[in-house]
Amino acid sequence: MSKKWYVLHTYSGYENKVKTNLETRIETMGLENNVFAIEIPTETVTEIKEGGRRKESEKKVFPGYVLVRMELDDRSWAAVRNTPGVTGFVGADSKPAPLTRDEYNKIMKRTSHEAPKKTSTNLEAGQAVKVVSGPLAEFDGVVSEVMPDAGKVKVMVSIFGRETPVELSFDQVSCI
């Protein structure tokens, strides 16, 4: 038998509860030699609030899913499958499909400290905004593109009567 990573489907919002339930269940059923690790992949996201305030928070990479490293046999499968909050394994019902090493590495790369930080905002294309800082402060414009990974927004600003695209950071604009 080999130790492999499997993906559990859970009720959304119950990921931490499932992890706790699983850890307790593994201990009480003596499955420490079958179930080795439980991961809930998270990443740090910076949200831009009204007025350009930044708020960092941890968000689940895959809400409703938990990763479990285990040796799959009838006992461990039944114990994990019947844990409160678990709706099933990802893969066929009769035989869950383990993650490949590549898939696991891709998932965990998003959770590492070297991973680029994500930025989220409530800005969207077509929205009217006011530039609040920088050389174009006090200009009004319309969002033409939102680039969350870069933490930037492209705004069409009217300069000398001509629409000009300007790339700004999220904290340089506020909704009108």
Side-chain angles (χ1 to χ4, degrees), residues 92-154:
D93 281 337
S94 57
K95 183 143 177 26
L99 288 174
T100 65
R101 172 59 67 196
D102 258 5
E103 290 168 329
Y104 175 77
N105 289 341
K106 275 185 193 167
I107 290 169
M108 295 318 284
K109 191 175 188 177
R110 285 183 63 178
T111 69
S112 75
H113 295 292
E114 294 84 49
K117 300 259 190 280
K118 290 247 171 135
T119 306
S120 77
T121 181
N122 55 358
L123 294 171
E124 51 191 49
Q127 189 171 13
V129 293
K130 179 183 271 313
V131 180
V132 294
S133 67
L136 299 174
E138 300 306 312
F139 275 80
D140 292 341
V142 175
V143 175
S144 65
E145 184 181 352
V146 179
M147 299 165 276
D149 290 343
K152 298 199 177 280
V153 64
K154 199 173 277 184

Side-chain angles (χ1 to χ4, degrees), residues 135-136 139-140 156-166:
L136 299 174
F139 275 80
D140 292 341
M156 298 302 286
V157 178
S158 181
I159 302 175
F160 303 120
R162 292 179 61 204
E163 290 290 308
T164 307
V166 180

